[in-house]
Structures are given as C-alpha cells and as structure tokens.
Amino acid sequence: MSENKKKIYKPRPVSGFPEWLPEVRAVEQQWFDHIRRVFESYGFCNIETPSVEELDAINAKGGDGGADVDKEVYVLERLHREEGDKEARLALHFDQTVPLARYTAQHFNDLVFPFKRYQMQRVWRGERPQAGRFREFYQCDIDVINVDNLPLHFDAEMPAIIWEILSSLPGMENEKFQIRISNRKILIGFLNSIGIEDEKLIVEITRAIDKLEKEGFVATSDRLRKLIYGHLPESEQPSSTDETPIRHFIRLCTLKFTNSTDFRNALEKEPNIRTDNPILQKGIEDLEFIMDQLAHLPKGSVVADLSIVRGLDYYTGTVYETNFINDNGTLDTSYGSICSGGRYDDLASNYINKHLPGVGISIGFSRLFDRLRQQSKLPLKGISPAQFLITLEDETLRPRMMETAQKLRALGHNVETYHSPSKFKKQLEYAMKKGIRYVWLLPFEDRTADEVKDMVERTQTATRIEDWKQ
Amino acid sequence: MSENKKKIYKPRPVSGFPEWLPEVRAVEQQWFDHIRRVFESYGFCNIETPSVEELDAINAKGGDGGADVDKEVYVLERLHREEGDKEARLALHFDQTVPLARYTAQHFNDLVFPFKRYQMQRVWRGERPQAGRFREFYQCDIDVINVDNLPLHFDAEMPAIIWEILSSLPGMENEKFQIRISNRKILIGFLNSIGIEDEKLIVEITRAIDKLEKEGFVATSDRLRKLIYGHLPESEQPSSTDETPIRHFIRLCTLKFTNSTDFRNALEKEPNIRTDNPILQKGIEDLEFIMDQLAHLPKGSVVADLSIVRGLDYYTGTVYETNFINDNGTLDTSYGSICSGGRYDDLASNYINKHLPGVGISIGFSRLFDRLRQQSKLPLKGISPAQFLITLEDETLRPRMMETAQKLRALGHNVETYHSPSKFKKQLEYAMKKGIRYVWLLPFEDRTADEVKDMVERTQTATRIEDWKQ
C-alpha cells in the first residue's frame, strides 16, 4: 500500500491568472466570436504578434505606456540557461499597442494603408496580486493606422463598432452603458485661448479634469482656480465663486450632449469661451462631425462629454471612454472604463522614420467578462457543445451508432456517441450533466424506429436523420 | 530639423517567435475555426489554461515530459522585482498535458467524466534558435479523461477526428498523409513472451524499434540481436540471419495493415510469435477493435503499424503517429510526425489521489501551418475580410454610404466604407490591394441607381441591397 502514498502536489489557483470551467469558457468563446464578427464586418483584418517583444524594443517605445507599466513587465529567463547564451532579453507584452507599433514599422512595406487591424490576445502585467486585478488578461483592440494623414472617418467608426459589440454581447443585452467622447484639442485650445501654454500646467489641469467625475464641480473648479491663479497676489485671485472662464469650462465639462446641435448651442451660450482659437475650433468641429456620424445610434448611447481627457495618455485628438450607467442615467463610478481609446499623432516614430497617425480603442475583455460572470449574468449553457447524444444499449448497435453520428455531423450537428453499452438511465444522466439536449435511441428490441428524446420539451418521438437537416 | 533625427530602434524578427502578415493570419484563423468545428462536432468542450503554471507544479509532474523539455522551460521574472516579494515562481507551459493534468486535479469535483476537452494554445520552449524550430507555437490537443476505466471507444475516436481535420484543412486537400496506429502492449507482451522482462532492456528495445523507419530492417534486427543475446557466449548467440522470434517481430514491424483481418492473418502466419501472452493478446484485440471502428475511412488513411512505439513517452496502450507519405505510398521521412498521441494509464496522480486514465492526440499546428506556408500551399485570399467596399465620390453621399453599409452588414456581409471623397480610381485600387471583391457605387450625378462592380467577374451592374440577401 505504501506505493499508493505517493507525494501529491495539490494544485491551487495562481493569483491573477484566471481560468474558467468548460461551461464558462464556452461563453467566453462566444464573446470572442461575436467581437471578431463585428470587427470583421467593418473590414478589420486580424493580426497576432508573439507573446514577447525584445526588451530593447519595449524600452525604445519610451514613456508612452507610462512608468507604471514598466514596473509590471515580465521578462523571460530560461530555467537552465546555458553559458554563453547571448540572446536578446525577451519580455511579455503588457499591451497591444507596443506590438502594433513594432509590427507596423517592421512590416511597413508589406501592409496596405489605411491599415485596419484587430487583435485579441493576452497581455501580462506583473502587478501585486489583489482581488479583481489580473496579471494575465485578454484585450480586444482595433486601430486604424495611416501614413501622414488619417481621415476623421475612422474616429467616427470606432464608437459605432463598440456600441454594436457591447449592446449584443451574450449577457450584456440588459446592461446600460454609455460611450463618452471628447477631443483633447478642445481643452488645449481653450487653455491656449486664455493664455495658458505651459505644458506642465496643462498636464496638471488635465489631471484635475480627469477627476471631475469623482470629485465634483466645486472641488474641481476650486483646484483649478488655485492651479491657474495661485501665483498671483491674493487680492488679484478670483474668489471661488467668480465666474472665470475656467469655471465656465468646467461647468461645460459636467454636461453631456447627445447630439452636435445641443453641444454647439451650449458652447454658444458661453461668452467666456472664445471659439475663435483655431485648435479649439478644430476640436469642436471634429467632435461635431463624429456626433453627426453617430446620430443613428439610440439616443444617449454616445454622448459628447468634455470631462473625458484620458489623463496622461499620448492621445492628441478624439478620446473615448465607455462606462456602465445606472438606471437613472448617472455614471456607475464603481467600475472604471470598459473600453477606452483615442487618436494619436504618431504610432511608431521610435521604430521607423514615418509619420503614422492612428486611432484605436481597446475593450478590457477579461475584466468585463469576469464582472458578468461574478454577477451570474453569463448565459451558461451545457458543458458539451453537442446537441445530440446517440445512446448505445447493446454492443451490436455500435456500427449503427457511429453511422448515425456521422450522418448527423454531416448535417452540421455536434454529436456525442455513448462509449459503452450501459443502462439507459446512466446514459440519460450523462446527457443531462453535460447539457446535451437530444438523446437519440437506435432501433433495438421492441423499438422499430429511431427515436429522439428532447430533454427540454420532455418528449420522446420517432425520428429520421433527414428530419434534422438545417 | 534636428528634432526629426530621433534615434530609431529598427525592429527585427525574434528568432523562433513567428508572426504572419494579415493575409496569412486569415488562413491561420480558418485553420483554427476548422479544427474547432470538428473537435466540437464530436462533443469536445474547450478549456484554456493560464500561460503559466507554478514551477513547483511542473516539477511535481516529474519526468513525464522528459529531461529535454525541462531544460527548455521559461520562467518569468518581474523586470523590477520589489524586495520582499515572495510569490511562487511561474513558468510558461511547454505543453498542454501538464496544464490538463493540473486542471483536471484542481477542478475534479466540477468536471463531468468522461471529460472530453480540446485545447488550442501557445506553448513555449526555450530551444536554441535554429531554422524551423519555434520557441513559441500552437498545439491543438484533444484528450478524454475518465475515472478508473476509460473505454476503448475513445481510442478509436481520435484517429477519425484527426483524419477528418487533416484531410480538409484549407491547403491540405491534396496532401497525402497516413495515421499509423499501434499498441504498446503488443511489444511489451511479445517481449515478455520471449522471456524479456527487464525494464531497462525493454526501453532500449523500444528505442531501437522507434528508429526502424530510419535505419531499416537489417540494421535494426542486428542491433536488437546484440541487445538481447549480447550477454551470451558468442557460440550461443544467433547469427545475423537466424530467424529468431525478435527478427520475426521486427519483420512484422516493417509492414502496414489497412484492416484488422490482414493484421490478424499476418500474425497467425508467424509461428514464432505466441499470441497466448495475455498482454500481447490484449494489445492485439485493442488494435483490432480500433481498426474495425475506422473501417469507414478511405483505405490506407489509417494503418496498423507495429513500429510505432512513441519512444520514451509515458503511453501504455494505443499509440498514434501521423506522417506525410510520398506519391508511391512510402513515408516522407523528411518531416516528423504531424500529429501524435496515445493512451496513458495515469494522468494526474502527482496532483490528486485518483486513478485517471486518458487518451489524447496533439496536432503540431504551427509547424504544419508553416510547412504549407513555405510551400506556398495556403489558399491566401484578401487582406480585408470585407466582401464590399462602398465608395465615396462626394461628401454629400456620406450618410447614404453609412446607411448602405449598415444594411449590408445586417445581411451578414463584411463591408468597408471609403473614408474620404476621392478619385474613383484610387478607391478601386484600394479594393484591389485589399482583395475586396465588390465595389459599390452610390447613385450620383448621371448614375441613377446603385451599381456594383465585381472585381473578379469584371462586370458592373445595377444592384439593390435586397439582392444580397444570403
């Protein structure tokens, strides 16, 4: 007996690296299929890049990803590194933007521009393990890259795609969400128009506005007042209720506009906001164009929202965020953005001497999927993808079982065949546990025809293979 | 100008980590779709496991993977490891069997047995870079795991599935290949029947037979003669032409049998092979059962071939290998096995105190795909998944362009819309480069109806959206 007392290593989940049971994975596959179908219906082609990039290539990309991400990079080491190995150090990619930039530069001459690509891969971030934070997760990205100039057309295409996906993902049908759009040129142009050109100050103002949703109008306008006027003698500073241009702008940022006319009207009612600044003007025009292109979507699914500034990111024009909203239309602040992105001027200048502007958006797939899983909102079906189980009551029936299965498969059905002659009840139980709807009985003894048992309708009727043509 | 002279890191391919251009990736997706469809048509459910396993879990699995693989394991290191981090060491999985074993043990109580799963993921092996060797590649595995006993039914299902997949993968239709099956019990039983029980000797004999295909009958039987009789005084050793039982067995190993009757007949003609050894007998019966179940496949697609022993692997019964064959029916020895596997007695006893026998097979996806790619046998289509490009000759047509696109998408088509009003020739060129078949022209100026240009048939005709219902 001692040989049975082999030492056992009891496996445990690895924190931050999720895995699902088959029935959950089946829905995850449905999600990927659905997202892929929509991406492709807009003509986006797929690419996959290796899981790794050379560490030098990641570092060349510089600060775009931000210092926070750098810390989280995983590098590969061979368990038994041989001496004299002088390979480049490899790092798992932490997003799909660095790989896209590297790919576009490397294959530049083989690509057709505008390059519309989607990518649905795992990314890795070596965060400290904590609840709800994944260290390995899927992102679903689309980007359009062009040489020198990228038409605004594509900025308008992104939210239409995202709306179509999110509104019809299995389990998401009853969720309320909102795509919020702005254009960073509006903030920059406005600040320029009131004499603020200092980049550091602009970054600080951007950060403050990024927190507007959380901190509210009063705190934010107060913070901005101090940021902008703090260097003046106290007597020259506006009071916290003075109607300064920045205060007007922040008020505008608290509003949401469901169409370009409302947006334009609101702007025109703000005499303190001079729309003759060319950057500001361009930002407004671009945002209006996008809103007009999205007018066919249900009201409120997409809104112009000037508080969207995408923090410290490298975006230069259109910016997107997507949030769950509560039944009363307010933002569900308990959960970050489901899907974000924007326009950038320059994708790959670290890798190639070309000017490659782009626009893109990324669905935080795993986090969203896991949210719905935890809320038991995923439409789980059976464990088996099969619709049919052909039963085997006697070994002599095996050839007929195999033949029936092949014929049903040829009609496009998924079919399991029961492995050994056993009690019918046992086979029925197997179908039930695996979620197989139709149990097929071959002619045997008293039964002169094929019969099928529908586990949902609880019926059992004579049947023929040709009845199951799709 | 000096600011344009930014330092550029010119990206290069990372050896062993392949990536494809969009048109190649499109076929790779078709391959995955096809394999998945067939796996599911037999009722296999999908799982995905994390890219990593705890290193301790991999080590617990012990020598199954073989020392060769151990050396190739990649472990993860955080680029900036914080002091005091005491996380488990994580290693990228080098196959899908260790993850399956760990998964089955960990989720044992939530799974329904027989557990039929497929898995199509990347695996990583830190081999020294060399041509044709990947360090990151896809494997497509199916396995059936059961508790205590696994019916032979599943051993027969594997080759049927593999044959169905390989014979209809896009680009593989004209390739000739053969699935070769044996049962390790036949060799073991035979050796026992002639008095060979020493495990070390059995391993050496197995290795020699594994090389039969390469080294030929004479060299192999000579090597075995020495292995088995080498310890005897020279006068008692059989000569290299003496008809010893092992020589008879090797001769049998050089043959291929397309059905169980031929196999049985050949065995019965070998008086030196005593089929009364129970292990040998069981091996023969099992192999015959499998051959009988596969009798519906085209002749020669599956053969019994006793030279298949799967080297040092942990298989205990049925074993499979799949090879390309030349036009004359001989084996294409320039390329290893496309797809191999077999039955094992015990999947996960390192992780759980259960007896879990299984049978499985694995397609070396990336290597096979890359072979066909290099031979220009992949049926490449366009870069864009779109069938339609709606052209834009004037900005006023944009709303109608968007509407037409949405209507065609609703009918299930993939549609690109041209981004900006431009010369028709330029838009046509875009469609050609991207491989979009139908170019749609909206009514404009003299054109009173929608028209569609078929780039393949080279026609241009009036059309309506409803003509494109599928």
Side-chain angles (χ1 to χ4, degrees), chain A residues 438-456:
Chain A
Y438 299 107
V439 176
W440 191 288
L441 298 92
L442 300 167
F444 183 59
E445 293 179 346
D446 293 346
R447 192 166 52 246
T448 54
D450 292 278
E451 290 184 15
V452 77
K453 204 174 169 70
D454 182 333
M455 307 289 276
V456 175

Side-chain angles (χ1 to χ4, degrees), chain A residues 19 25 46 51 102 136, chain B residues 19 25 46 51 102 136:
Chain A
E19 75 180 359
R25 169 64 187 159
N46 185 238
S51 303
R102 197 263 315 143
E136 173 175 60
Chain B
E19 75 181 359
R25 169 64 187 160
N46 184 239
S51 303
R102 196 264 314 142
E136 173 175 61

Side-chain angles (χ1 to χ4, degrees), chain B residues 65-219:
Chain B
D68 290 353
V69 165
D70 264 12
K71 273 206 286 191
E72 298 169 358
V73 167
Y74 279 119
V75 289
L76 304 193
E77 293 287 347
R78 288 250 289 283
L79 186 54
H80 299 289
R81 202 171 164 80
E82 284 160 45
E83 273 182 58
D85 281 3
K86 277 191 188 159
E87 299 159 38
R89 286 193 85 189
L90 303 175
L92 292 171
H93 56 228
F94 56 84
D95 70 4
Q96 297 182 129
T97 304
V98 171
L100 172 64
R102 196 264 314 142
Y103 183 99
T104 308
Q106 189 176 318
H107 304 289
F108 183 81
N109 292 322
D110 294 315
L111 299 176
V112 180
F113 292 90
F115 176 39
K116 302 175 76 172
R117 85 87 176 79
Y118 74 95
Q119 202 165 346
M120 312 198 295
Q121 290 187 247
R122 289 175 168 181
V123 303
W124 293 268
R125 294 190 187 171
E127 305 205 46
R128 278 180 168 277
Q130 52 180 301
R133 283 295 180 95
F134 293 132
R135 296 195 278 175
E136 173 175 61
F137 54 96
Y138 277 103
Q139 286 188 331
C140 298
D141 288 15
I142 34 173
D143 287 85
V144 183
I145 312 295
N146 204 15
V147 185
D148 294 329
N149 286 298
L150 180 71
L152 204 56
H153 172 86
F154 298 108
D155 299 55
E157 204 170 49
M158 297 283 148
I161 294 171
I162 292 303
W163 186 83
E164 193 169 330
I165 287 172
L166 293 182
S167 60
S168 52
L169 272 175
M172 276 286 286
E173 300 87 347
N174 299 317
E175 301 299 293
K176 290 201 170 67
F177 61 89
Q178 193 164 61
I179 304 174
R180 303 188 293 156
I181 311 183
S182 186
N183 191 304
R184 288 189 77 168
K185 289 194 169 70
I186 295 176
L187 175 62
I188 309 290
F190 164 72
L191 292 176
N192 290 352
S193 79
I194 60 168
I196 297 174
E197 311 253 359
D198 180 71
E199 277 192 32
K200 216 177 128 195
L201 182 56
I202 290 177
V203 167
E204 284 182 89
I205 293 171
T206 305
R207 264 190 214 171
I209 292 179
D210 199 30
K211 291 186 187 144
L212 172 60
E213 197 78 45
K214 264 190 200 151
E215 304 197 344
F217 173 70
V218 174

Side-chain angles (χ1 to χ4, degrees), chain A residues 197-453:
Chain A
E197 311 254 358
D198 179 71
E199 276 193 31
K200 217 178 127 195
L201 182 55
I202 291 178
V203 166
E204 284 183 90
I205 293 171
T206 305
R207 264 190 215 172
I209 292 179
D210 198 31
K211 292 187 187 141
L212 171 61
E213 197 78 45
K214 266 191 199 150
E215 306 196 344
F217 172 71
V218 174
T220 305
S221 56
D222 205 45
R223 182 199 295 255
L224 286 181
R225 192 174 50 84
K226 281 176 194 150
L227 269 173
I228 296 169
Y229 305 105
H231 65 284
L232 298 175
E234 201 150 335
S235 60
E236 290 175 35
Q237 289 183 19
S239 84
S240 66
T241 54
D242 278 355
E243 290 292 315
T244 59
I246 191 75
R247 201 173 153 90
H248 284 252
F249 190 83
I250 304 295
R251 191 172 294 124
L252 213 56
C253 287
T254 63
L255 303 176
K256 291 177 172 53
F257 307 99
T258 58
N259 60 64
S260 64
T261 314
D262 289 357
F263 174 56
R264 167 67 65 176
N265 289 342
L267 268 174
E268 282 170 1
K269 277 188 205 131
E270 291 290 352
N272 266 320
I273 297 177
R274 292 166 42 204
T275 53
D276 57 351
N277 175 286
I279 299 177
L280 175 56
Q281 222 163 47
K282 180 74 169 75
I284 291 170
E285 275 167 22
D286 286 1
L287 185 52
E288 285 178 334
F289 174 86
I290 295 171
M291 293 305 289
D292 286 342
Q293 295 308 310
L294 299 171
H296 64 285
L297 296 181
K299 195 179 169 180
S301 48
V302 179
V303 296
D305 180 338
L306 301 188
S307 73
I308 301 301
V309 289
R310 297 295 303 143
L312 296 176
D313 272 317
Y314 57 120
Y315 299 112
T316 52
T318 310
V319 279
Y320 316 99
E321 280 190 18
T322 310
N323 294 84
F324 285 108
I325 50 173
N326 301 314
D327 285 337
N328 62 6
T330 61
L331 216 67
D332 177 351
T333 50
S334 67
Y335 189 87
S337 177
I338 306 167
C339 170
S340 317
R343 171 180 278 250
Y344 37 90
D345 256 355
D346 186 7
L347 177 74
S349 64
N350 308 282
Y351 302 128
I352 191 169
N353 193 12
K354 299 273 176 194
H355 178 55
L356 300 173
V359 63
I361 200 162
S362 175
I363 304 173
F365 182 96
S366 298
R367 221 167 121 257
L368 180 62
F369 182 76
D370 194 44
R371 175 183 156 112
L372 270 82
R373 187 188 66 84
Q374 288 192 27
Q375 294 176 339
S376 304
K377 285 178 178 164
L378 296 179
L380 298 186
K381 284 174 199 152
I383 293 170
S384 173
Q387 293 95 35
F388 289 93
L389 173 72
I390 321 269
T391 55
L392 184 63
E393 287 165 281
D394 189 87
E395 188 58 37
T396 57
L397 294 171
R398 190 179 289 275
R400 177 135 185 182
M401 171 180 80
M402 302 304 270
E403 199 190 319
T404 305
Q406 276 312 94
K407 284 182 178 164
L408 285 169
R409 285 183 192 122
L411 296 178
H413 299 288
N414 298 335
V415 185
E416 284 203 47
T417 46
Y418 203 77
H419 46 78
S420 327
S422 7
K423 279 190 186 147
F424 185 68
K425 202 183 145 197
K426 197 176 164 192
Q427 302 189 44
L428 214 57
E429 204 177 275
Y430 177 81
M432 272 193 302
K433 278 191 190 164
K434 285 230 169 165
I436 302 175
R437 176 162 181 182
Y438 299 107
V439 176
W440 191 288
L441 298 92
L442 300 167
F444 183 59
E445 293 179 346
D446 293 346
R447 192 166 52 246
T448 54
D450 292 278
E451 290 184 15
V452 77
K453 204 174 169 70

